[in-house]
Amino acid sequence: MVRRTVAAVAVAALAAGTVPGVAAAGDRLPRLDWRPCPTDRELLCAAVPVPLDHADPRGPKITLRATKRPADDPRHKIGTLFVDNGGPGGSAADFTLDVASAFGARVRARYDIVGVDPRGIAGEKNCVTEGCGSAPVRCAAQPGDPAPPATPEEAFPVGAEQTRARLAYDDHVRALCAERGDPILAHMSTADTVRDLELMRRAVGDDKLNFYGVSYGSYMGATYAAMYPDRVRSIIVDGVLDPVAWSTGEGAERGYLFTGRIGSGDGTREAITSALAECDRAGKAKCPAAGSVRAKYDAVMARLKRGPLELPAETVTYQSAVQLLADLSKTREAYPRIMELVDYVYRAMRAVEKGTPVPPPPPWTQEQPPSPTGSGPTTDPITNLPYLGVACSDSANPRDRGAVQRTAAWAERTAPGYGALWTWDGSACRDWPITNQAAFRGPWQVWTAAPILVVGNTHDPATPISGAKALNRLMPNSRLLTVDTYGHGALGEPCALQAYDRYLIDRALPTATCKTGPLFG
């Protein structure tokens, strides 16, 4: 049982005169045996051994998977740029080439770019040998265990019956992880991963850290800066989580679940509704759905709240519509599709009411939705264990039975639909049974050895710009770069990439808001 494992580690550490979760001076640096990756010859791969518990550096080890794109100009190399793509649950090792492709030639020439899968999180490719890389966390039932309740079919419940079913399933997840969870569940906080990152920095021979993190990766960067402020050379955090909201909350917000505190519901609603207004302003020549598209959106959502809309090809529910719109809103290029989708469902709804033929759906609705940076709400907590293992360790949450419904109701006041969607994404963290002694929850007010670059989009749905502003206030020598755009994270925006290039190579900080082109046309 995980709780006993944590208690035993704490007792042993206290007996040895060490503090649980704090890296001991005897931590051995991992040996990095870089070899060509089997599936992408542009990359090198390595299996990185690190302590399961940094308070016990000579105890059990785990292995993390790492990939490296070597610098194009190694003679003039600045160092290693470590990267993380968020989630929690994303594979940083699978993200290495994406960052290398997005960043400029100067960055690729002067930096090795390295992604290391966070502990408990495994990517899908580029393993040097069979079983070489990170093992995904599991809470696996065994023969004879009670049958689980039905898996939720919707991303968030509507009504008393669905709410009871979702709460019962959350109870099942917590009990299963308490009894059958892997030992790593007690060592999956961001602080644990940051200590891995610090070992990697030392192992590659860099005096100070260079890092790019987007979405939840911004929390990793902020945590490193708060824990090791004197070891910062250049840290870019993009699509920023408010670290206080994620970890503890302030004042009355401490009574709500972290998924309500971080404001993603408000951010999603703001991005979508402001884009609807922008479409109407742009006109049909630039946005074909223009013409009271905001009013159509309101009519569609009001209709779906009354019950499912039966169309010839599918059934549209309120929850499925909210989830699809939230997913699309994370990618700037998908906003024309949001407008087209709202217009189509409105016309289909009116056709059903009148008994006339329903128009065909847009062809792209048969495709898989885009896969934006970072994670978002999912239906099944069991498949979302990497997220829960990290987020529930990091965050202080209320434990009472009504905490999730209370948080959802609070978030729904300003973000109907999206507040509930994001709140229930972390519902299993209420009364989470695994204690992580190493979790870091502040203080966040630090002066770093070099300024970190804090980046926020004006219309970021998942991590609203309020998070970037909060971190900028907490770290007084940081620099805020505001990117006037939609979507989650600014990695694809040319003006942001130019600022990243100057910051990483020349140590230059941006001085103005980053302007992008119009959303439509």
Side-chain angles (χ1 to χ4, degrees), residues 242 244-245 248-255 261 445 474:
D242 179 337
V244 174
T248 61
E250 288 185 302
E253 289 186 1
R254 292 175 182 267
R261 297 192 302 247
Q445 298 90 340
L474 288 165

Side-chain angles (χ1 to χ4, degrees), residues 151-348:
T151 302
E153 295 183 357
E154 300 279 7
F156 63 98
V158 169
E161 183 177 349
Q162 288 186 7
T163 298
R164 281 193 298 269
R166 180 59 181 267
L167 291 173
Y169 197 81
D170 287 345
D171 288 341
H172 161 69
V173 171
R174 285 188 291 266
L176 184 62
C177 287
E179 296 295 334
R180 306 295 193 203
D182 291 339
I184 200 172
L185 266 177
H187 306 282
M188 282 186 67
S189 75
T190 300
D192 290 303
T193 293
V194 160
R195 292 182 178 100
D196 297 336
L197 181 60
E198 173 62 3
L199 286 181
M200 284 293 294
R201 177 196 67 79
R202 293 166 56 197
V204 301
D206 284 0
D207 291 334
K208 292 186 170 137
L209 182 77
N210 304 287
F211 179 82
Y212 170 81
V214 61
S215 190
Y216 159 77
S218 72
Y219 188 76
M220 188 182 299
T223 301
Y224 186 96
M227 291 175 63
Y228 302 105
D230 60 329
R231 301 174 201 176
V232 172
R233 180 193 179 273
S234 57
I235 290 180
I236 303 172
V237 287
D238 180 2
V240 180
L241 284 165
D242 179 337
V244 174
W246 177 270
S247 57
T248 61
E250 288 185 302
E253 289 186 1
R254 292 175 182 267
Y256 300 116
L257 208 67
F258 79 102
T259 40
R261 297 192 302 247
I262 59 176
S264 300
D266 287 329
T268 303
R269 178 172 172 80
E270 187 283 327
I272 290 172
T273 55
S274 65
L276 291 164
E278 186 63 30
C279 175
D280 278 336
R281 281 193 294 271
K284 287 186 175 295
K286 296 181 178 179
C287 184
S292 303
V293 69
R294 170 61 195 273
K296 293 175 183 177
Y297 168 86
D298 290 339
V300 165
M301 300 309 280
R303 166 62 184 81
L304 292 176
K305 281 186 177 180
R306 297 196 298 270
L309 177 61
E310 300 290 346
L311 300 179
E314 63 179 326
T315 299
V316 182
T317 67
Y318 178 63
Q319 295 107 308
S320 66
V322 167
Q323 184 174 29
L324 178 57
L325 291 173
D327 287 344
L328 290 170
S329 72
K330 295 171 193 168
T331 307
R332 175 188 165 99
E333 292 74 21
Y335 278 82
R337 289 187 168 187
I338 292 177
M339 306 303 120
E340 186 179 9
L341 183 65
V342 168
D343 182 65
Y344 159 70
V345 176
Y346 177 81
R347 291 185 291 111

Side-chain angles (χ1 to χ4, degrees), residues 222 240-246 250 262 444-445 452 454 464-476 478 480:
V240 180
L241 284 165
D242 179 337
V244 174
W246 177 270
E250 288 185 302
I262 59 176
W444 301 99
Q445 298 90 340
I452 73 170
V454 181
I465 196 170
S466 56
K469 292 178 178 178
L471 181 60
N472 178 230
R473 289 192 299 269
L474 288 165
M475 298 188 176
S478 64
L480 176 64

